[in-house]
Amino acid sequence: MADAEVGDDSYRDDPTVARLEALAAEVMGKEAALLVLSGTMGNLVAMLSQVRNGGAVLVDEHAHIFRLESGNLAGVCGITARPFRAGARAAEDVFHEESVFANSRMHRPADMLCLENTHNFAGGRCLPVEVTATLADAARARGMHVHIDGARIFNAAVALGTTAAELVAPADTITFCLSKGLGAPVGSLLCGPVSVIEEARRWRQMVGGGMRQAGVFAAAGLVALQGGWDQLTEDHANAKTLAVALNGTGLDIDPAAVETNIVYVRIPFERIEAGALVSRLIAAGVIVNPPKGDRLRFVLHRDVSRSDMDEAIRRIRGVLD
Ligand SMILES: Cc1ncc(COP(=O)(O)O)c(C=O)c1O
C-alpha cells in the first residue's frame, strides 16, 4: 500500500485502481469492473445504472439489499422492492402475478431480480449455479436484469468447489467485497458489461464515490484478489468446529446448516436474555455482534486462527456454564 502507484481515479488516472478493476473483471468473467467504497455502494450504483426511477426489483425478504442498506432503494433510487419469501428458490415462488405484474395498468413490470450469494441472514448459505441459472433465465424471459449481491461470493465458490466466475455467469452484474473474508481493509467491486459499468461510474460520482489516491487501498485489494482462497476453507472449517462445539450447550444451533463462515445460534430466552449473553461474551473477550431478537451471529475470518477458535470455544462455554 505504501508503494502503490497512485493518481486521481475520478480522471481514471490511478494505475493501481485500473489494475484492480481489470483483475476483478477477469476473475468474475465480466467485461468491466468499478471500484467502490463498500458493498452497499456497489449494490446502489448497480440499481441506479440499470433500473430507472419508479421501477421495481424482486428481492428476497431477508436480503441485505432490502433490509440493511438504509432504505436506499426507495430513498435514493426511487425503486420499489417486491420481496419474495425468504430462501425461495423455485421460479414459481419468485415470479408470480403479484411480483411480476406483467400486464397491469396499475403497476410497472419488475425490472430486476436481485439474488444474494452467500446469503448473510440465512447463515452464509450458498446458492448453487443451477438455481441462479434457472432464476436468471426466468427473469430474462420477463425482460428483467439480474444482479447478484455477492459480498461473500468467494466463500460460496470455495464451499461449492467451483469458481466465482461460474457462479455469477448467469447474472448481468455482481457486487463483491474485498474487505470481508478476503481480508483487505476497504473496497468492493461492481462487475458487468462495459455499458453498465460506465453508467455506474457516473452514478458513483453522484453519490460521492469518486476518489483520489484510491490506489493506496486498491493495492491491498490486488493482494486480496491474488491471494488464493485457502484462508476461506480454513474459516469454513473453523465455523463448523464452532457450531459443533456449541451444539448441546443449551444454545439452539444446527451444525449441518453451516455451509461457510457464518454461524447463527438461537438463545433460549427462558435461560438467558440475549443482550446479557452478548455483554458477558464481550467481557470474556469474545466479540460478537449485538443480538437480533433471539439470534446471535458469529463470523469467522482470517484474523481468527484455529487456536484462537479453540480459545473462543473455551471462553464461550465458560460463559454459558
Ligand atoms: C450480503 C451482503 N451484502 C452487502 C453488504 C454490504 O457491504 P458493506 O458493509 O461493505 O456496505 C453486506 C455487509 O455485511 C452483506 O452481508
Side-chain angles (χ1 to χ4, degrees), residues 214-281:
V216 172
F217 72 84
L222 280 167
V223 175
L225 260 191
Q226 288 165 338
W229 325 118
D230 294 352
Q231 176 64 43
L232 300 182
T233 310
E234 202 172 307
D235 295 342
H236 298 179
N238 283 342
K240 236 345 173 211
T241 304
L242 176 68
V244 169
L246 295 186
N247 195 20
T249 56
L251 297 173
D252 183 3
I253 179 168
D254 176 10
V258 174
E259 296 181 21
T260 55
N261 67 329
I262 298 179
V263 179
Y264 271 104
V265 299
R266 266 185 208 286
I267 302 159
F269 273 138
E270 64 283 4
R271 291 192 57 210
I272 185 165
E273 196 268 317
L277 177 58
V278 169
S279 308
R280 292 215 211 159
L281 287 172

Side-chain angles (χ1 to χ4, degrees), residues 10-318:
S10 310
Y11 293 109
R12 308 192 66 165
D13 190 27
D14 188 309
T16 311
V17 172
R19 277 175 57 210
L20 176 61
E21 290 179 342
L23 179 64
E26 186 188 324
V27 169
M28 289 297 155
K30 300 294 182 201
E31 282 177 8
L34 178 73
L35 179 64
V36 289
L37 286 165
S38 63
T40 301
M41 187 183 274
N43 289 332
L44 177 67
V45 296
M47 303 294 152
L48 287 167
S49 48
Q50 295 175 91
V51 182
R52 67 183 154 114
N53 188 288
V57 298
L58 305 189
V59 61
D60 181 300
E61 64 183 331
H62 286 169
H64 199 278
I65 286 179
F66 181 50
R67 294 170 61 108
L68 297 171
E69 300 187 358
S70 273
N72 62 9
L73 280 183
V76 182
C77 311
I79 292 173
T80 309
R82 295 195 191 138
F84 55 82
R85 187 171 46 74
R89 293 181 170 198
E92 59 270 26
D93 293 331
V94 174
F95 307 95
H96 46 78
E97 191 41 43
E98 287 290 291
S99 64
V100 172
F101 291 122
N103 297 310
S104 167
R105 189 169 56 83
M106 306 292 188
H107 307 91
R108 274 179 53 79
D111 301 274
M112 180 184 268
L113 170 68
C114 298
L115 300 172
E116 185 172 312
N117 201 6
T118 63
H119 197 299
N120 178 14
F121 199 83
R125 206 169 164 215
C126 304
L127 205 55
V129 69
E130 301 75 30
V131 177
T132 306
T134 304
L135 294 177
D137 285 349
R140 289 236 170 67
R142 293 165 173 85
M144 296 178 203
H145 302 287
V146 180
H147 174 68
I148 295 180
D149 175 358
R152 298 182 185 78
I153 194 71
F154 291 100
N155 293 86
V158 164
L160 294 169
T162 181
T163 61
E166 188 176 345
L167 288 181
V168 306
D172 301 300
T173 47
I174 150 93
T175 304
F176 74 92
C177 294
L178 297 165
S179 60
K180 295 191 167 72
L182 299 191
V186 187
S188 296
L189 287 119
L190 173 68
C191 309
V194 169
S195 57
V196 175
I197 296 303
E198 285 316 300
E199 188 62 18
R201 198 175 286 283
R202 277 187 284 276
W203 285 109
R204 184 188 70 172
Q205 178 69 14
M206 184 182 262
V207 297
M211 295 169 277
R212 280 171 287 281
Q213 285 77 250
V216 172
F217 72 84
L222 280 167
V223 175
L225 260 191
Q226 288 165 338
W229 325 118
D230 294 352
Q231 176 64 43
L232 300 182
T233 310
E234 202 172 307
D235 295 342
H236 298 179
N238 283 342
K240 236 345 173 211
T241 304
L242 176 68
V244 169
L246 295 186
N247 195 20
T249 56
L251 297 173
D252 183 3
I253 179 168
D254 176 10
V258 174
E259 296 181 21
T260 55
N261 67 329
I262 298 179
V263 179
Y264 271 104
V265 299
R266 266 185 208 286
I267 302 159
F269 273 138
E270 64 283 4
R271 291 192 57 210
I272 185 165
E273 196 268 317
L277 177 58
V278 169
S279 308
R280 292 215 211 159
L281 287 172
I282 290 173
V286 181
I287 300 169
V288 56
N289 267 353
K292 294 232 166 57
D294 64 349
R295 289 176 98 208
L296 281 192
R297 187 185 73 154
F298 296 91
V299 180
L300 282 298
H301 53 84
R302 62 188 301 119
D303 296 327
V304 181
S305 66
R306 179 59 209 248
S307 61
D308 292 336
M309 187 70 256
D310 292 340
E311 179 62 19
I313 290 168
R314 201 183 60 73
R315 294 189 196 187
I316 296 168
R317 280 198 176 133

